[in-house]
Amino acid sequence: MDHAQKILQILTDQGDLTPEMAEKVRVDAINSDTPVAEILLKNRLVDEDKLLKAKASALNVPFISLLGRGISPDILLLLPEPVAKRYKLIPFEIDKETGKLAVAMTDPLNLPLIEFLEQKSGKSIIPYLVNEQEIIAKIDEQYAQGLTTEVTEALKDASPGIRTVKAENLNQIIKEAPIAKIVSTVLDFAVKNRASDIHIEPQESRTRIRYRIDGMLVEKLALPRSVHDAVLSRIKILADMKIDEKRLPQDGRFNFKTAAEEIDLRVSTLPTVFGEKVTMRLLRKTGGIPTLQELGMSGVALKNLQTAVTKPHGIVLVTGPTGSGKTTTLYSILSRLNVINVNIITLEDPVEYEIPGLNQVQVNLQAGLTFASGMRAFLRQDPNIILVGEIRDSETTQLAIQAALTGHLVFSTLHTNNAATAIPRLLDLGAEPFLIVSVLNAVEAQRIIRKICSSCKQEFLPDAKAESDIRSVLGKLMPPGQIKLYKGAGCKECNNSGYLGRGGIFETIVVTPTIARLIVERSSAEDIEKQAVAEGLITLKQDGYLKVLAGVTTLEEIFRVAQE
């Protein structure tokens, strides 16, 4: 049985092709003298990855996907970039037990090429089959880091016992240019790829570097385990931490300036079983604060929130889980309200962006400055607007209500899943129903979504199940005409993810007379939401589906962030 026959047999056995379809493809291939693989892809009978896995099985070689996988520069050094580009291959790991070099290739049966690679690298080769488009992108991404020379230099300086080197000796290592260059490259890569966080994680045989890009963690780089401590010490010195303290978590910060922008980095270290892990949060000082419209708020949610924030007093709550962009929304509102004749005081943990004109205070638990004690002090500071980072206890709840009753506009956040749930949560924190009705202007809930990459955006028709789901959720909000959905095919601009940039989905509940009555009766969140929907509320999921139909994002994103 030839390879083409084997591929068809494997796809049939897996249930990806019916026997009739497989036979038709075989006959078409013979009649048109066209490869079986080309016919399968042209007629969209199977996707490329399934076809490649079947091909790998037929050729008796392993299949590998390199998406979301960093490759250590010392491994890349074994096969130089010109060789990788010419033969469409990339080395990605060394087997710890055998010392063999694993190489992802588009032609894993090319024995003369494998023999050449063994001579070039000085190691036995284990060939893997890989997607051609994927490997071209990976070669560009990994060799472009330019870390190989620095890692080689750093490895010369890094003795095998580097983890037990005394602090004074380690000081000498981290001053060397290669280590500084490695750290600089890691940070540069984060800035260029719009990352919000960097995770440098020691593992048994290597150090993994992951970036949070558009809200998702992706592995992009890897370093040899032997340079981990020197890299970590370099970061600790930049962040003004103790480099000889490895048993306790530490926090610090420093600025990083590129040609285009200045970044403020919050650094946190954590001892793990393989060494210290470091996480860096990137806060951009340039670029300004986005408006609510730029964040993706529109329609009823925007109108209701704008009305609520222009009232002279009351409470406005922004809700959502951790990492749903609540702070960004609040900063967007405050920057709009930040005028010369208004005194705005904020109490945050931590202060993420420094905004000129605002009096920003950071929580300091060791010194006794909590949300509650800060709120008490604020009321003696003649404020017009108060932002308290989070309402997390009954004392802060009572103080926020008191501030609103005495003529202040108060903003805060709650960790609830939707807007309606915030009201029972306030009741749980000891707020009286009649006081909530008196002071609550609006509750806004939100989630962050990834936006489809405009460079590789494709239109397609949904299946019957998806169409039925969309019509059911949107109901009267359903726009007329045929339903068309969109997705990103993946390109160089979006690192083959299909997504580029982020936006939000939102819902805003205002306290109308009917909702006020439900609050006084201590009704459930479901009853409050049902009444709000009857009065025109567009829910988070509905807002998400409307953005799906508008081509902003995908159904999968809405399921990921807003599935009930």
Side-chain angles (χ1 to χ4, degrees):
M1 191 187 293
D2 65 12
H3 287 142
Q5 279 285 81
K6 275 187 183 176
I7 290 169
L8 289 173
Q9 188 61 54
I10 290 163
L11 290 170
T12 305
D13 292 345
Q14 291 173 177
D16 295 314
L17 290 178
T18 63
E20 295 77 21
M21 286 164 67
E23 180 58 23
K24 185 177 185 307
V25 169
R26 190 185 70 80
V27 172
D28 286 353
I30 293 167
N31 290 340
S32 62
D33 196 24
T34 307
V36 160
E38 194 177 313
I39 292 171
L40 288 168
L41 289 175
K42 188 178 177 184
N43 293 298
R44 296 184 179 179
L45 297 174
V46 293
D47 65 42
E48 195 170 0
D49 269 4
K50 276 185 182 169
L51 175 61
L52 283 170
K53 283 174 187 172
K55 183 180 176 184
S57 188
L59 297 174
N60 203 24
V61 295
F63 173 79
I64 186 80
S65 172
L66 296 173
L67 286 176
R69 186 187 187 117
I71 302 170
S72 184
D74 60 328
I75 290 173
L76 293 174
L77 200 65
L78 295 170
L79 293 173
E81 187 176 2
V83 171
K85 281 190 168 173
R86 182 175 177 185
Y87 298 109
K88 293 178 185 170
L89 55 86
I90 193 166
F92 62 92
E93 75 179 6
I94 293 175
D95 188 296
K96 276 197 299 180
E97 291 176 10
T98 63
K100 291 183 177 180
L101 181 64
V103 180
M105 311 172 67
T106 53
D107 188 7
L109 290 190
N110 188 333
L111 296 179
L113 173 58
I114 290 170
E115 192 178 320
F116 164 71
L117 296 178
E118 289 183 335
Q119 289 174 352
K120 191 81 179 165
S121 65
K123 294 189 178 294
S124 294
I125 301 293
I126 309 171
Y128 283 73
L129 181 66
V130 72
N131 180 309
E132 186 174 338
Q133 254 54 53
E134 191 183 301
I135 202 165
I136 290 167
K138 206 71 185 171
I139 290 166
D140 286 342
E141 177 192 282
Q142 293 295 315
Y143 284 101
Q145 307 311 320
L147 273 177
T148 46
T149 310
E150 283 70 31
V151 167
T152 310
E153 289 299 313
L155 286 170
K156 285 179 190 171
D157 296 333
S159 62
I162 190 167
R163 280 192 284 174
T164 56
V165 168
K166 291 179 181 176
E168 56 267 27
N169 297 342
L170 201 56
N171 256 333
Q172 194 55 44
I173 294 171
I174 59 92
K175 284 175 186 169
E176 297 294 330
I179 296 296
K181 181 71 166 72
I182 289 170
V183 173
S184 176
T185 305
V186 167
L187 295 176
D188 261 330
F189 188 85
V191 175
K192 284 173 187 167
N193 286 273
R194 314 173 332 279
S196 61
D197 300 83
I198 307 169
H199 295 250
I200 301 176
E201 303 165 316
Q203 296 180 316
E204 192 174 2
S205 58
R206 64 183 191 136
T207 289
R208 176 173 72 171
I209 300 175
R210 293 192 292 172
Y211 296 91
R212 192 172 292 282
I213 299 169
D214 291 337
M216 301 293 280
L217 265 181
V218 287
E219 184 182 320
K220 288 291 184 182
L221 297 173
L223 292 173
R225 183 69 183 83
S226 49
V227 302
H228 176 82
D229 282 5
V231 167
L232 200 81
S233 294
R234 170 73 179 161
I235 292 167
K236 280 184 171 182
I237 282 183
L238 289 169
D240 200 21
M241 296 177 178
K242 296 176 183 173
I243 64 167
D244 55 344
E245 179 54 85
K246 300 182 178 187
R247 300 164 302 167
L248 295 172
Q250 294 187 65
D251 292 302
R253 64 189 290 179
F254 67 94
N255 282 3
F256 179 69
K257 204 166 189 175
T258 68
E261 55 187 324
E262 189 174 353
I263 309 290
D264 183 19
L265 288 113
R266 305 289 163 83
V267 185
S268 170
T269 64
L270 185 73
T272 72
V273 288
F274 293 121
E276 284 184 284
K277 169 184 177 352
V278 62
T279 302
M280 293 184 273
R281 164 67 54 92
L282 282 76
L283 301 169
R284 283 160 174 77
K285 291 190 167 188
T286 49
I289 293 165
T291 65
L292 292 172
Q293 289 92 330
E294 286 167 347
L295 293 173
M297 197 179 292
S298 59
V300 178
L302 177 63
K303 180 174 169 288
N304 286 344
L305 189 61
Q306 284 177 333
T307 304
V309 304
T310 50
K311 291 184 178 178
H313 51 79
I315 295 177
V316 175
L317 294 177
V318 176
T319 71
T322 302
S324 58
K326 298 186 295 292
T327 305
T328 304
T329 299
L330 285 170
Y331 281 156
S332 179
I333 294 166
L334 289 183
S335 59
R336 180 175 171 240
L337 300 175
N338 184 18
V339 291
I340 198 74
N341 58 349
V342 171
N343 180 21
I344 302 176
I345 307 181
T346 77
L347 182 59
E348 304 167 62
D349 185 20
V351 174
E352 289 196 17
Y353 296 95
E354 292 165 8
I355 306 173
L358 266 60
N359 301 289
Q360 293 172 277
V361 179
Q362 184 151 323
V363 165
N364 188 334
L365 298 178
Q366 287 80 12
L369 177 53
T370 63
F371 284 125
S373 64
M375 277 289 285
R376 274 197 224 90
F378 280 12
L379 294 175
R380 297 190 290 274
Q381 286 287 323
D382 185 31
N384 299 101
I385 297 170
I386 296 171
L387 163 66
V388 54
E390 187 185 339
I391 292 178
R392 57 172 70 153
D393 55 42
S394 58
E395 192 178 3
T396 313
T397 308
Q398 301 298 341
L399 287 164
I401 290 171
Q402 185 188 333
L405 286 170
T406 52
H408 304 91
L409 184 57
V410 180
F411 292 94
S412 192
T413 69
L414 272 179
H415 287 274
T416 61
N417 285 332
N418 59 18
T421 317
I423 293 163
R425 177 81 180 118
L426 287 175
L427 294 169
D428 290 343
L429 289 169
E432 292 293 340
F434 67 92
L435 289 178
I436 294 174
V437 168
S438 302
V439 299
L440 192 61
N441 292 354
V443 184
E444 183 258 314
Q446 63 184 62
R447 300 285 189 280
I448 289 178
I449 52 160
R450 292 179 294 167
K451 293 159 93 172
I452 298 170
C453 172
S454 57
S455 300
C456 59
K457 190 175 185 177
Q458 291 181 345
E459 185 183 283
F460 69 99
L461 297 176
D463 58 36
K465 187 183 174 190
E467 182 168 345
S468 170
D469 181 41
I470 292 168
R471 290 189 185 279
S472 165
V473 168
L474 288 179
K476 293 176 184 176
L477 298 171
M478 189 74 207
Q482 186 183 31
I483 295 179
K484 290 180 183 176
L485 302 185
Y486 304 84
K487 64 181 178 182
C491 65
K492 195 173 180 180
E493 288 291 313
C494 60
N495 284 318
N496 291 305
S497 69
Y499 296 96
L500 187 68
R502 295 197 286 172
I505 56 174
F506 306 87
E507 67 180 22
T508 307
I509 289 181
V510 288
V511 182
T512 60
T514 44
I515 288 176
R517 190 176 70 249
L518 290 174
I519 295 171
V520 171
E521 292 168 0
R522 293 179 179 264
S523 298
S524 67
E526 290 77 16
D527 288 343
I528 291 169
E529 183 171 290
K530 192 175 175 184
Q531 180 59 38
V533 168
E535 294 177 11
L537 170 73
I538 294 174
T539 65
L540 272 175
K541 198 169 183 182
Q542 287 175 330
D543 189 40
Y545 277 30
L546 289 170
K547 286 183 167 77
V548 167
L549 295 180
V552 173
T553 190
T554 62
L555 269 180
E556 290 76 16
E557 269 300 279
I558 305 305
F559 293 149
R560 183 176 70 86
V561 302
Q563 190 65 292
E564 291 146 9

